[in-house]
Coordinates of all heavy atoms in Angstrom, one line a residue:
Q399 N 13.6 -176.7 -63.6 CA 13.2 -178.1 -63.6 C 13.9 -178.8 -64.7 O 14.4 -179.9 -64.5 CB 11.7 -178.2 -63.8 CG 11.2 -179.7 -63.9 CD 9.7 -179.8 -64.2 OE1 9.0 -178.8 -64.4 NE2 9.2 -181.0 -64.1
A400 N 14.0 -178.1 -65.9 CA 14.8 -178.8 -67.0 C 16.2 -179.0 -66.7 O 16.7 -180.1 -66.9 CB 14.7 -177.9 -68.3
L401 N 16.9 -178.1 -66.1 CA 18.3 -178.2 -65.7 C 18.4 -179.3 -64.6 O 19.4 -180.1 -64.6 CB 18.8 -176.9 -65.2 CG 19.2 -175.9 -66.3 CD1 19.7 -174.6 -65.7 CD2 20.4 -176.4 -67.1
V402 N 17.5 -179.3 -63.7 CA 17.6 -180.3 -62.6 C 17.5 -181.7 -63.2 O 18.2 -182.6 -62.8 CB 16.6 -180.0 -61.5 CG1 16.4 -181.3 -60.6 CG2 16.9 -178.8 -60.7
N403 N 16.6 -181.9 -64.2 CA 16.4 -183.1 -64.9 C 17.7 -183.6 -65.5 O 18.1 -184.7 -65.4 CB 15.3 -183.0 -65.9 CG 13.9 -183.0 -65.4 OD1 13.7 -183.3 -64.2 ND2 13.0 -182.6 -66.2
L404 N 18.4 -182.6 -66.2 CA 19.6 -183.0 -66.9 C 20.7 -183.3 -65.9 O 21.5 -184.3 -66.1 CB 20.1 -181.8 -67.8 CG 19.1 -181.4 -68.9 CD1 19.8 -180.3 -69.8 CD2 18.8 -182.6 -69.8
L405 N 20.8 -182.6 -64.8 CA 21.9 -182.9 -63.8 C 21.6 -184.1 -63.1 O 22.6 -184.9 -62.7 CB 21.9 -181.7 -62.8 CG 22.6 -180.4 -63.3 CD1 22.4 -179.2 -62.4 CD2 24.1 -180.6 -63.5
I406 N 20.4 -184.5 -62.8 CA 20.0 -185.8 -62.1 C 20.5 -186.9 -63.0 O 21.1 -187.9 -62.6 CB 18.5 -185.9 -61.8 CG1 18.1 -185.0 -60.6 CG2 18.1 -187.3 -61.5 CD1 16.6 -184.9 -60.4
N407 N 20.2 -186.8 -64.3 CA 20.6 -187.9 -65.2 C 22.1 -188.0 -65.3 O 22.7 -189.1 -65.2 CB 20.1 -187.5 -66.7 CG 18.6 -187.8 -66.9 OD1 18.0 -188.4 -66.0 ND2 18.1 -187.3 -67.9
A408 N 22.8 -186.8 -65.3 CA 24.3 -186.9 -65.3 C 24.9 -187.5 -64.1 O 25.8 -188.3 -64.2 CB 24.8 -185.5 -65.5
V409 N 24.3 -187.1 -62.9 CA 24.9 -187.6 -61.7 C 24.6 -189.2 -61.6 O 25.6 -189.9 -61.2 CB 24.2 -187.0 -60.5 CG1 24.6 -187.7 -59.1 CG2 24.7 -185.5 -60.3
Q410 N 23.4 -189.6 -62.0 CA 23.2 -191.0 -61.9 C 24.0 -191.8 -62.9 O 24.2 -193.0 -62.7 CB 21.7 -191.2 -62.1 CG 20.8 -190.7 -61.0 CD 19.3 -190.8 -61.2 OE1 18.9 -191.1 -62.3 NE2 18.5 -190.7 -60.1
A411 N 24.3 -191.2 -64.0 CA 25.1 -192.0 -65.1 C 26.6 -192.0 -64.8 O 27.3 -192.7 -65.5 CB 24.8 -191.4 -66.4
T412 N 27.1 -191.1 -63.9 CA 28.5 -190.9 -63.7 C 29.1 -191.7 -62.6 O 28.6 -191.5 -61.4 CB 28.9 -189.5 -63.6 OG1 28.3 -188.7 -64.7 CG2 30.4 -189.3 -63.6
P413 N 30.0 -192.6 -62.7 CA 30.6 -193.3 -61.6 C 31.4 -192.5 -60.7 O 31.9 -191.4 -61.1 CB 31.4 -194.4 -62.3 CG 31.9 -193.8 -63.6 CD 30.7 -192.9 -64.0
S414 N 31.7 -193.0 -59.5 CA 32.6 -192.3 -58.6 C 33.9 -192.0 -59.2 O 34.5 -192.8 -59.9 CB 32.8 -193.1 -57.3 OG 33.6 -192.5 -56.4
G415 N 34.4 -190.8 -59.0 CA 35.7 -190.3 -59.6 C 35.5 -189.6 -60.9 O 36.4 -189.0 -61.4
G416 N 34.2 -189.6 -61.5 CA 34.0 -188.9 -62.7 C 33.6 -187.5 -62.5 O 33.6 -187.0 -61.3
C417 N 33.3 -186.8 -63.6 CA 32.9 -185.4 -63.4 C 31.8 -185.0 -64.4 O 31.6 -185.6 -65.4 CB 34.2 -184.5 -63.6 SG 34.8 -184.4 -65.3
I418 N 31.2 -183.9 -64.0 CA 30.1 -183.3 -64.9 C 30.6 -181.8 -65.1 O 30.9 -181.1 -64.2 CB 28.8 -183.3 -64.1 CG1 28.3 -184.7 -63.9 CG2 27.7 -182.6 -65.0 CD1 27.1 -184.9 -62.9
T419 N 30.5 -181.4 -66.3 CA 30.9 -180.1 -66.7 C 29.7 -179.3 -67.2 O 29.1 -179.8 -68.2 CB 32.0 -180.0 -67.8 OG1 33.2 -180.8 -67.3 CG2 32.5 -178.6 -68.0
V420 N 29.4 -178.2 -66.6 CA 28.3 -177.4 -67.0 C 28.8 -176.1 -67.6 O 29.5 -175.4 -66.9 CB 27.3 -177.1 -65.8 CG1 26.1 -176.3 -66.3 CG2 26.9 -178.4 -65.1
T421 N 28.4 -175.8 -68.8 CA 28.9 -174.7 -69.5 C 27.8 -173.8 -70.1 O 26.8 -174.3 -70.5 CB 29.8 -175.2 -70.7 OG1 30.8 -176.1 -70.3 CG2 30.5 -174.0 -71.4
T422 N 28.0 -172.5 -70.1 CA 27.0 -171.6 -70.7 C 27.7 -170.7 -71.7 O 28.9 -170.3 -71.5 CB 26.3 -170.7 -69.6 OG1 27.3 -169.9 -69.0 CG2 25.6 -171.6 -68.6
H423 N 27.0 -170.4 -72.7 CA 27.5 -169.4 -73.7 C 26.4 -169.0 -74.7 O 25.2 -169.6 -74.6 CB 28.7 -170.0 -74.5 CG 28.4 -171.2 -75.3 ND1 28.5 -172.5 -74.7 CD2 27.9 -171.5 -76.5 CE1 28.2 -173.4 -75.5 NE2 27.8 -172.8 -76.7
V424 N 26.6 -168.1 -75.5 CA 25.6 -167.6 -76.5 C 26.1 -168.0 -77.9 O 27.3 -167.8 -78.2 CB 25.5 -166.1 -76.4 CG1 24.5 -165.6 -77.5 CG2 24.9 -165.6 -75.0
A425 N 25.2 -168.5 -78.7 CA 25.5 -168.9 -80.0 C 24.3 -168.7 -80.9 O 23.2 -169.2 -80.6 CB 26.0 -170.3 -80.1
E426 N 24.4 -168.0 -82.0 CA 23.4 -167.7 -83.0 C 22.1 -167.2 -82.3 O 21.0 -167.6 -82.6 CB 23.1 -169.0 -83.7 CG 24.3 -169.5 -84.5 CD 24.0 -170.8 -85.2 OE1 22.9 -171.4 -85.0 OE2 24.8 -171.2 -86.1
G427 N 22.3 -166.3 -81.4 CA 21.1 -165.6 -80.8 C 20.4 -166.4 -79.7 O 19.3 -166.2 -79.4
R428 N 21.1 -167.5 -79.2 CA 20.5 -168.4 -78.3 C 21.4 -168.6 -77.1 O 22.6 -168.6 -77.2 CB 20.1 -169.7 -78.8 CG 19.1 -169.7 -80.0 CD 18.7 -171.0 -80.5 NE 19.9 -171.7 -81.1 CZ 19.8 -172.9 -81.7 NH1 18.6 -173.6 -81.7 NH2 20.8 -173.5 -82.2
V429 N 20.8 -168.6 -75.9 CA 21.6 -169.0 -74.7 C 21.7 -170.6 -74.8 O 20.7 -171.3 -74.9 CB 20.9 -168.6 -73.4 CG1 21.6 -169.2 -72.2 CG2 20.9 -167.1 -73.3
E430 N 22.9 -171.1 -74.6 CA 23.2 -172.5 -74.6 C 23.7 -172.9 -73.2 O 24.7 -172.4 -72.8 CB 24.1 -172.9 -75.7 CG 23.6 -172.6 -77.1 CD 24.4 -173.3 -78.2 OE1 25.5 -173.8 -77.9 OE2 23.9 -173.3 -79.4
I431 N 23.1 -173.9 -72.7 CA 23.5 -174.5 -71.4 C 23.8 -176.0 -71.7 O 22.9 -176.7 -72.0 CB 22.4 -174.3 -70.3 CG1 22.0 -172.9 -70.1 CG2 23.0 -174.9 -69.0 CD1 20.9 -172.6 -69.1
E432 N 25.1 -176.3 -71.5 CA 25.5 -177.6 -71.8 C 25.9 -178.4 -70.6 O 26.6 -177.9 -69.7 CB 26.8 -177.5 -72.7 CG 27.4 -178.8 -73.2 CD 28.6 -178.6 -74.1 OE1 28.4 -178.3 -75.3 OE2 29.8 -178.7 -73.5
V433 N 25.4 -179.6 -70.5 CA 25.7 -180.5 -69.3 C 26.4 -181.8 -69.9 O 25.8 -182.6 -70.6 CB 24.5 -181.0 -68.6 CG1 24.8 -181.9 -67.4 CG2 23.7 -179.7 -68.0
A434 N 27.7 -181.9 -69.6 CA 28.5 -183.0 -70.2 C 29.0 -183.8 -69.0 O 29.6 -183.4 -68.1 CB 29.7 -182.4 -71.0
D435 N 28.8 -185.2 -69.1 CA 29.3 -186.1 -68.1 C 30.3 -187.1 -68.6 O 30.4 -187.3 -69.8 CB 28.1 -186.8 -67.4 CG 27.4 -187.8 -68.3 OD1 28.0 -188.7 -68.8 OD2 26.2 -187.6 -68.5
T436 N 31.1 -187.7 -67.7 CA 32.0 -188.7 -68.1 C 31.5 -190.1 -67.7 O 32.2 -190.9 -67.2 CB 33.4 -188.5 -67.5 OG1 33.2 -188.4 -66.0 CG2 34.0 -187.2 -67.9
G437 N 30.1 -190.2 -67.9 CA 29.5 -191.5 -67.4 C 29.5 -192.6 -68.4 O 30.4 -192.6 -69.3
R438 N 28.6 -193.5 -68.2 CA 28.7 -194.8 -69.0 C 28.3 -194.6 -70.4 O 28.5 -195.4 -71.3 CB 27.8 -195.8 -68.4 CG 26.3 -195.4 -68.2 CD 25.5 -196.5 -67.6 NE 24.1 -196.1 -67.4 CZ 23.7 -195.5 -66.3 NH1 24.5 -195.2 -65.3 NH2 22.4 -195.1 -66.2
G439 N 27.6 -193.4 -70.8 CA 27.2 -193.2 -72.1 C 25.9 -194.0 -72.5 O 25.4 -194.8 -71.7
I440 N 25.5 -193.8 -73.7 CA 24.3 -194.5 -74.2 C 24.6 -195.2 -75.4 O 25.3 -194.7 -76.4 CB 23.2 -193.4 -74.4 CG1 22.8 -192.7 -73.2 CG2 21.9 -194.1 -75.0 CD1 21.9 -191.5 -73.4
A441 N 24.1 -196.4 -75.5 CA 24.4 -197.2 -76.7 C 23.8 -196.6 -78.0 O 22.7 -195.9 -77.9 CB 23.8 -198.6 -76.6
A442 N 24.5 -196.7 -79.1 CA 24.0 -196.0 -80.3 C 22.6 -196.5 -80.7 O 21.8 -195.7 -81.2 CB 25.0 -196.4 -81.5
S443 N 22.3 -197.7 -80.4 CA 20.9 -198.3 -80.8 C 19.8 -197.6 -80.0 O 18.7 -197.6 -80.3 CB 20.9 -199.8 -80.6 OG 21.2 -200.1 -79.2
A444 N 20.2 -197.0 -78.8 CA 19.2 -196.4 -77.9 C 19.1 -194.9 -78.1 O 18.1 -194.3 -77.6 CB 19.5 -196.7 -76.5
L445 N 20.0 -194.3 -78.8 CA 20.0 -192.8 -78.9 C 18.8 -192.3 -79.6 O 18.3 -191.2 -79.2 CB 21.2 -192.4 -79.8 CG 22.6 -192.4 -79.0 CD1 23.7 -192.0 -80.0 CD2 22.6 -191.4 -77.9
K446 N 18.2 -193.0 -80.5 CA 17.0 -192.5 -81.2 C 15.7 -192.5 -80.3 O 14.7 -191.9 -80.7 CB 16.7 -193.3 -82.5 CG 16.4 -194.8 -82.2 CD 16.3 -195.6 -83.5 CE 16.0 -197.0 -83.2 NZ 15.9 -197.8 -84.5
S447 N 15.9 -193.2 -79.2 CA 14.7 -193.3 -78.3 C 14.7 -192.5 -77.0 O 13.8 -192.5 -76.2 CB 14.5 -194.8 -77.9 OG 14.4 -195.6 -79.0
V448 N 15.8 -191.8 -76.8 CA 16.0 -191.1 -75.5 C 15.0 -190.1 -75.2 O 14.7 -189.8 -74.0 CB 17.5 -190.5 -75.4 CG1 18.5 -191.6 -75.4 CG2 17.7 -189.5 -76.5
F449 N 14.4 -189.4 -76.2 CA 13.4 -188.4 -76.0 C 11.9 -189.0 -76.0 O 11.0 -188.2 -75.9 CB 13.5 -187.3 -77.0 CG 14.7 -186.4 -76.7 CD1 15.8 -186.5 -77.6 CD2 14.8 -185.5 -75.7 CE1 16.9 -185.7 -77.3 CE2 15.9 -184.7 -75.4 CZ 17.0 -184.8 -76.2
K450 N 11.8 -190.3 -76.2 CA 10.5 -190.9 -76.1 C 10.0 -191.0 -74.7 O 10.7 -191.5 -73.8 CB 10.5 -192.3 -76.8 CG 10.8 -192.2 -78.3 CD 10.8 -193.7 -78.9 CE 11.0 -193.6 -80.4 NZ 11.0 -195.0 -81.0
P451 N 8.7 -190.7 -74.4 CA 8.2 -190.8 -73.1 C 8.3 -192.3 -72.6 O 8.0 -193.2 -73.3 CB 6.7 -190.4 -73.2 CG 6.7 -189.6 -74.5 CD 7.7 -190.1 -75.4
F452 N 8.7 -192.4 -71.3 CA 8.8 -193.7 -70.6 C 10.0 -194.5 -71.0 O 10.2 -195.6 -70.5 CB 7.5 -194.5 -70.7 CG 6.3 -193.7 -70.3 CD1 5.4 -193.3 -71.3 CD2 6.1 -193.3 -69.0 CE1 4.2 -192.5 -70.9 CE2 5.0 -192.5 -68.7 CZ 4.1 -192.2 -69.6
F453 N 10.8 -194.0 -72.0 CA 12.0 -194.8 -72.3 C 13.2 -194.5 -71.3 O 13.4 -193.3 -71.0 CB 12.5 -194.5 -73.7 CG 13.8 -195.1 -74.0 CD1 13.9 -196.4 -74.5 CD2 15.1 -194.5 -73.9 CE1 15.1 -197.1 -74.8 CE2 16.3 -195.1 -74.2 CZ 16.3 -196.4 -74.7
T454 N 13.8 -195.5 -70.8 CA 14.9 -195.2 -69.8 C 15.9 -196.4 -69.9 O 15.5 -197.5 -70.2 CB 14.4 -195.1 -68.4 OG1 15.5 -194.9 -67.5 CG2 13.7 -196.4 -67.9

Side-chain angles (χ1 to χ4, degrees):
Q399 180 182 6
L401 281 175
V402 167
N403 288 344
L404 298 184
L405 286 168
I406 287 174
N407 286 350
V409 170
Q410 292 179 342
T412 306
S414 179
C417 70
I418 298 167
T419 303
V420 184
T421 307
T422 63
H423 57 272
V424 175
E426 299 179 349
R428 300 183 295 183
V429 170
E430 296 192 350
I431 304 175
E432 181 182 280
V433 178
D435 66 60
T436 59
R438 58 180 177 270
I440 302 171
S443 59
L445 282 175
K446 61 183 179 182
S447 301
V448 293
F449 288 105
K450 291 182 179 179
F452 308 109
F453 176 83
T454 179

